[in-house]
Structures are given as structure tokens and as C-alpha cells.
């Protein structure tokens, strides 16, 4: 099967056409039903999905909620430290957390390319189910579509999520204040560089793995604490630099960060040097920044450091009322104005 | 530009590379920001989207809601009677209605193929905005991704939707009862055949157009009335036959429908004969069946006939306690057991 190069990384080659997704799996008839009954429903099992109706019916404890969506088109489907399924659950869970909401319900919509090995699909769905279980969300509604060969890339996944807002505070860019301390939860650039390396067949001396992770633990702790938490942002596409630029713009305030405080692993640092990449612009999938009032920054740090995913949290900068965008204080003592990523696109990183 | 055949139907050819989607539009940097600011935000304008955060923050009047999702991969992007944007709004709105919920909020996630003309994107986003306005929903959160040329087909759209449940009744397959009358809201097969004809370059004497429509008017009327409404189902992929088979299975009851009562337009009837298609299996995008207790069937019919989209509603059959699946009483007096669609896939119909 020479024409199935990329989406078959960790699975045995299909031995017959019935082992791959066919156009008929997307027509809403018997094959679609088989796929749902054999692969999807058993793995995402919950009463709402089992009802097999057009929508899930949900009852929230309150009526204040957060709603988000992302499509995942990462290439390759499986990479060191994760896969598209894990990413699709964690990514949407993290987006809800960033708005100060506890993730509750997810939808899952699969766009499969004709020829996708069912073994690959099963592996990814297993991974989604495990990630949903780990993060305490239920996948309650979904959809499956099949596109003809040459019009996809194995599998694209969309997840939308509903979270329950558990604080009256508005955790948002508009709440950022002058004086806020900016905490970075982990070292940056691992996801972006791991994907790049895998795609290009590069290997480095130091092992390189995506930081793909759910942020439920540390963010729940921050939300539950009685601290002046103003804004959260995960550092996905565009990386730390783009996030800082956007937040400076939206808040109308100045952001200044110290290059020396921004942790970068040896593997990422070395890889970036080799490839001519700037780690500030590399995507992360398990890393965020928190804007906290100065008086509460130490408490926030202590809370974050109790969770493995944010054990190396530290303060990287602060907010001023200067409306001067986002600036980096470099390790050689100069100042660099940060811009949005431009001209060096890293396609299909998530 | 000979390599952009299908997604350029009704738009002028792009005159420069800046008129088409580039990989950089998907990297989360400056080009992504331009796309959002220039094309997306102005058209979907609302305070939640403008907040530009990871999730929308919503306040529902109650805490009982419905949640659904669908990805749309229809080919071609624009077809007689609709386009992928209209379909993506109406389809998700209709799925919420089918669960007895009033549609309130939608997400919108775009998977664009490198090279998609920005004029086409703009046309589709305009169409989504108009459909959202018409149906009273707000598009409050979204995502944009770009896949490299040859790994998409112009544009795929995912919408997820949140609706407010406005009835304590469980409108679902499990609520279907023996004796229920089955009402069909319109003539069947128009969407499926219109797409097929457009794709194959066929033209018929009678004009052929998709039935693509929002069902908000008639369904809201049914939900507001004090009638024994048990189940609703829109007749999308798999058509009327597959819907009846599924509902017979899920409810564990028998369904019998009269072929003579099922309206089929001359255009669809003629086209199906020519192409050897069975209209019972053709997809619809503005057509549904309602299961109503016998005593309330006449009231339901009167309500439905007041809305243009369901003006020709009529009773096509009823439910028995026989657990005998779904059967068609044919016009020549015989009985035919209906099965799920199998073996004649109509790919990318929605």
C-alpha cells in the first residue's frame, strides 16, 4: 500500500479493503452504523451518546458556561509525546480552563480520508477516550464524515467543549491590570519542535517530546484559590511571543518579559539553533501564562509548583500601563519589541 | 489557475497570491489575525466573539441544554439552493430543534485548503452570517486552520451548537409510542439529487434545487403547542428510509409508512428514474418527520402547514407495537422491509 504514507505510523498495514475506511462509512447507512457501534460508541460510552439522537441533552449545575471549539489537523497523526486524539481532547479542555471554566462536555467530529486504516482510527479513538477519562469530560455528541482519497490527510478531528464557569471573576484579557505578574508554567517550544523533527525525520541527541498535556490540575487550583487571578492563556499556535503581543493589544497595556526567566530545554534550544527557529514562536500544548496581581503572585507560584505539568512555574515579567506592546528584555541587556509570527509558517502544528 | 476547479464556482478568479489562502493564514500569527479581523469578525460580529479569548462566556436562562456538532464536507461548495455555509448553520440549528431545543449559540471552525480564493471564503462566511441572523443564533467562538494544497477540498466547516431546552418532554426515539402518527414535513430527495446533478453536470427539464432550510418556524410551533409530540428527526444522510429503520430499532417498535403518501417532486422522481436512485435514500436538508400521538396529529398538521417550509406536511404512516422494523406499503399493494442504506454511497452530500 505505497499510497498510505503518513497516517500509518504505528499500526500494522491493513490486509484487506475492509480494514480501511471506505466512502460508504460516511453515507449515514449501514457502514456508518457499524463504525459507530463497533469503534466509537464502546470507547466513548456514556448515556447521552448511547441515546443516538441528533443532540445530547445536558443538565448543568448552573447556567453560566464557556463554549469553545478547535479543529485539529496535525501532521503526523502520531508524534513523540502524543497524537491527534489526545491533542483534540487536551486542546479543547485547556481552552475552557483558560476562560476560568471547568471542562464538562465535549463533542467529537471526525473527518476521515478514504483509505485510513481502521487500526489507526481505533488507536486515535482509544487515545481520545483515555484523555477524556483523565480530564473528567464526557464526549456526548459527535459526527463522522468521509472524504475521498486525496482530499484529506488520514484524519482531521474537531472538538467543541462546554465548561462550567466556577468563578464570578472575568478571567480574560480585558481583566489584565498594570502591575500584574506574568507566570509561565513550563519550559517552551517542545510541541512545535517535536512535530517539526518528526515530520522532517530529524533526530537530536537529547530526546525531544511534545509537552501535550491537560492543564486541569494547576488551573483548577488557581481558580479555587482566593487570589486575584486576571487572565490565563495557553501558548499554542504562535507561541509565547504571539500570545504576549495579543494580550498587550487587547488589554491596551504594556508587557515586559525577561528572556533569562523563560525556560527552554537543552533539546529545544539546540534544535532551534540547528534549524534557525525562534523558540518564542514555537507552539506548545501543555504550557500557559497566568496574569496575577502582584500581592498574590507568590501564592499562585506555590499552587502551580504542586502539579507536575507546572512544577517549574516562574515569574517571567510584568504588566505596565505604558501601552507599548510586548517587549523582551534580552539576556545581553537589550530590549526587543515582540511582533506576531509572520513569514515563517509552521503548518499543521495542531 | 487550472488546479482550482471546484471551489471557485461563483467567484472571480484570484488575480494575485494575496487573494488566496496561504499556509501562513493558519499559523496563528499576523496573517491569521488579518483573516479574523478582515473577514470573520466583522461578519459574525457579537460581543463574545469580539472578546477574542479562548472560549466564549455564555449565560443561559436555564440549565437544561442540548449540544450537537456536525462537520460539513459537501462538494461542490455552492449548489442550487444553497452552499456549505448555509448548510453548516441550518444543519446544526436543525439538529438542536430535533432534540426539542431552541438554537442559541454556534461555534464555527474552518479547515481551509491552501489556495482557496479569499473571495470564495468571503461568500461562504457571508452566507453563514445571513443564515445565523435568520435563525436567531449567534456564532460566538471559532477556529481557523489551513491544510496544504492536496489535503483538503477548498473548505470544510464544522459547527457545534448549544440550544435551550424549552420543554420538559423528552423529544427522542425512546419516547415513540405505538399508535403514534408519523408526519412528513415536505417532499423528499431534493438536496441529494441537486448535489448529484450539480456534481455530474446533469441538467433536467424541471428545475432542481436543494431543500436546504432552517426548520425553526414549524418546530418552534410544535414545541410551543400543548400536544403529545414524541420524536423529531431530520432526514439528512441516508434519507427517509434510514431514519425510519433507525427509529424503529431504537424504539423497539414497528413503523409502517404508505408509499403513496410520501411526496416526491416531478424533478426528483424523473431524476431518480434516470439515475437509478431510490428517493427514499436521498439526503434532505430541510425536511423532517414528527411522531405525534394520534389524538394530536391533526393539530400538529395544522400548525406545520402554516409554515412555508412544511406547508405540504402530511401523515405518511404510524407506529405499531410489533417490533418488526420499518416497512413500506408500496403503491402496488405489496410490503417492503426497509433497510439502512448499503452499497450505493453518495459521498460528501453534506
Amino acid at each position: 500500500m505505497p499510497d498510505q504514507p503518513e497516517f500509518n505510523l504505528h499500526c500494522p498495514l491493513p490486509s484487506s479493503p475492509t480494514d480501511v475506511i471506505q466512502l460508504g462509512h460516511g453515507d449515514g447507512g449501514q457502514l456508518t452504523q457499524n463504525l459507530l457501534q463497533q469503534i466509537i460508541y464502546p470507547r466513548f460510552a456514556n448515556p447521552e451518546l448511547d441515546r443516538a439522537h441528533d443532540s445530547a441533552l445536558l443538565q448543568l449545575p448552573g447556567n453560566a458556561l464557556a463554549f469553545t471549539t478547535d479543529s485539529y489537523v496535525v501532521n503526523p497523526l502520531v508524534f513523540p509525546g502524543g497524537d491527534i486524539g489526545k491533542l483534540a481532547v487536551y486542546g479543547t479542555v485547556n481552552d475552557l480552563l483558560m476562560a476560568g471554566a471547568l471542562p464538562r462536555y465535549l463533542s467529537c467530529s471526525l473527518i476521515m480520508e478514504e483509505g485510513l486504516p481502521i487500526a489507526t482510527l481505533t488507536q486515535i479513538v482509544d487515545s481520545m477516550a483515555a484523555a477524556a477519562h483523565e480530564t473528567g469530560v464526557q464526549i456526548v455528541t459527535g459526527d463522522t464524515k468521509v472524504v475521498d482519497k486525496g482530499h484529506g490527510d488520514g484524519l482531521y478531528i474537531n472538538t467543541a467543549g462546554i465548561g462550567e464557569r466556577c468563578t464570578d471573576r472575568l478571567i480574560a484579557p480585558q481583566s489584565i491590570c498594570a502591575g500584574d505578574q506574568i507566570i509561565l508554567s513550563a519550559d517552551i517550544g517542545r510541541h512545535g519542535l517535536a512535530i517539526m523533527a518528526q515530520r522532517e525525520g530529524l533526530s537530536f541527541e537529547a530526546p525531544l517530546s511534545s509537552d501535550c498535556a491537560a492543564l486541569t490540575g494547576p488551573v483548577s487550583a488557581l481558580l479555587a484559590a482566593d487570589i486575584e487571578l486576571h487572565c490565563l492563556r495557553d501558548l499554542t499556535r504562535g507561541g509565547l511571543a504571539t500570545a504576549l503581543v495579543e494580550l498587550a493589544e487587547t488589554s491596551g497595556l504594556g508587557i515586559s518579559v525577561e528572556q533569562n526567566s523563560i525556560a527552554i530545554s537543552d533539546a529545544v534550544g539546540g534544535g532551534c539553533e540547528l534549524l534557525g527557529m525562534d523558540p518564542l514562536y514555537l507552539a506548545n500544548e501543555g504550557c500557559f501564562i497566568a496574569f496575577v496581581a502582584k500581592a498574590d503572585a507568590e501564592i499562585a507560584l506555590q499552587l502551580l509548583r504542586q502539579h507536575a505539568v507546572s512544577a517549574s512555574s516562574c515569574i517571567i515579567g510584568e504588566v505596565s500601563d505604558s501601552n507599548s506592546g510586548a517587549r523582551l528584555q534580552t539576556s545581553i541587556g537589550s530590549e526587543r519589541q515582540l511582533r506576531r509570527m509572520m513569514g515563517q509558517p509552521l503548518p499543521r502544528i495542531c
Side-chain angles (χ1 to χ4, degrees), chain A:
Chain A
M1 316 277 292
D3 52 354
Q4 283 166 18
E6 285 161 345
F7 46 78
N8 199 18
L9 285 169
H10 293 239
C11 297
L13 283 172
S15 56
S16 89
T18 60
D19 292 342
V20 300
I21 290 294
Q22 306 161 43
L23 282 176
H25 282 111
D27 69 7
Q30 187 61 51
L31 282 178
T32 307
Q33 185 65 12
N34 294 353
L35 189 73
L36 294 175
Q37 297 289 355
Q38 291 163 17
I39 311 282
I40 310 287
Y41 290 163
R43 288 174 172 79
F44 293 164
N46 61 67
E48 268 315 311
L49 199 64
D50 295 345
R51 204 195 297 277
H53 197 26
D54 286 321
S55 300
L57 303 179
L58 310 174
Q59 193 85 29
L60 289 180
N63 57 3
L65 52 87
F67 182 33
T68 191
T69 190
D70 263 316
S71 287
Y72 299 84
V73 299
V74 65
N75 166 24
L77 294 183
V78 182
F79 47 83
D83 60 65
I84 190 173
K86 207 167 156 179
L87 204 61
V89 171
Y90 289 162
T92 293
V93 158
N94 289 347
D95 276 349
L96 292 170
L97 289 165
M98 294 301 111
L102 298 180
R104 293 291 183 231
Y105 299 105
L106 253 54
S107 65
C108 166
S109 176
L110 307 173
I111 299 179
M112 298 171 282
E113 185 185 10
E114 183 185 15
L116 173 71
I118 293 200
T120 306
L121 176 66
T122 305
Q123 177 188 356
I124 303 293
V125 173
D126 273 334
S127 177
M128 292 188 78
H133 184 258
E134 176 202 336
T135 54
V137 296
Q138 289 190 303
I139 297 174
V140 290
T141 188
D143 178 45
T144 54
K145 289 287 179 348
V146 178
V147 293
D148 33 330
K149 199 157 186 65
H151 287 115
D153 201 3
L155 179 63
Y156 299 147
I157 301 179
N158 176 281
T159 49
I162 294 179
E164 187 193 325
R165 287 169 64 190
C166 55
T167 168
D168 289 337
R169 287 182 203 285
L170 179 66
I171 311 289
Q174 292 77 5
S175 302
I176 295 174
C177 297
D180 279 358
Q181 302 294 292
I182 304 168
I183 301 175
L184 173 63
S185 68
D187 60 293
I188 60 169
R190 279 182 279 150
H191 179 73
L193 204 65
I195 296 284
M196 294 274 296
Q198 169 89 354
R199 207 187 285 165
E200 307 298 334
L202 304 174
S203 65
F204 301 105
E205 239 175 276
L208 195 57
S209 174
S210 167
D211 63 339
C212 182
L215 301 170
T216 318
V219 174
S220 301
L222 289 183
L223 293 173
D226 185 24
I227 59 170
E228 284 273 344
L229 173 67
H230 292 152
C231 184
L232 298 164
R233 177 61 61 95
D234 54 350
L235 309 177
T236 54
R237 280 186 296 180
L240 174 62
T242 305
L244 293 173
V245 171
E246 285 184 4
L247 293 173
E249 271 181 20
T250 315
S251 67
L253 298 169
I255 286 178
S256 175
V257 293
E258 292 279 345
Q259 186 166 30
N260 283 340
S261 307
I262 299 168
I264 295 170
S265 71
D266 289 347
V268 170
C272 279
E273 234 168 78
L274 199 73
L275 296 168
M277 313 286 302
D278 185 343
L280 291 176
Y281 290 89
L282 285 177
N284 310 273
E285 290 293 344
C287 191
F288 67 103
I289 44 176
F291 289 72
V292 183
K294 194 162 194 164
D296 290 334
E298 269 306 316
I299 307 174
L301 271 181
Q302 285 168 27
L303 289 170
L304 290 173
R305 287 176 179 163
Q306 287 167 26
H307 297 266
V309 74
S310 52
S312 62
S313 290
C314 68
I315 295 171
I316 61 164
E318 64 179 356
V319 180
S320 71
D321 57 7
S322 68
N323 193 12
S324 53
R327 287 168 303 168
L328 181 76
Q329 311 304 323
T330 73
S331 42
I332 55 167
S334 65
E335 188 174 86
R336 172 180 157 204
Q337 187 78 34
L338 295 174
R339 312 278 178 199
R340 280 193 172 77
M341 180 152 68
M342 180 77 189
Q344 195 189 46
L346 299 175
R348 300 185 47 197
I349 208 78
C350 60

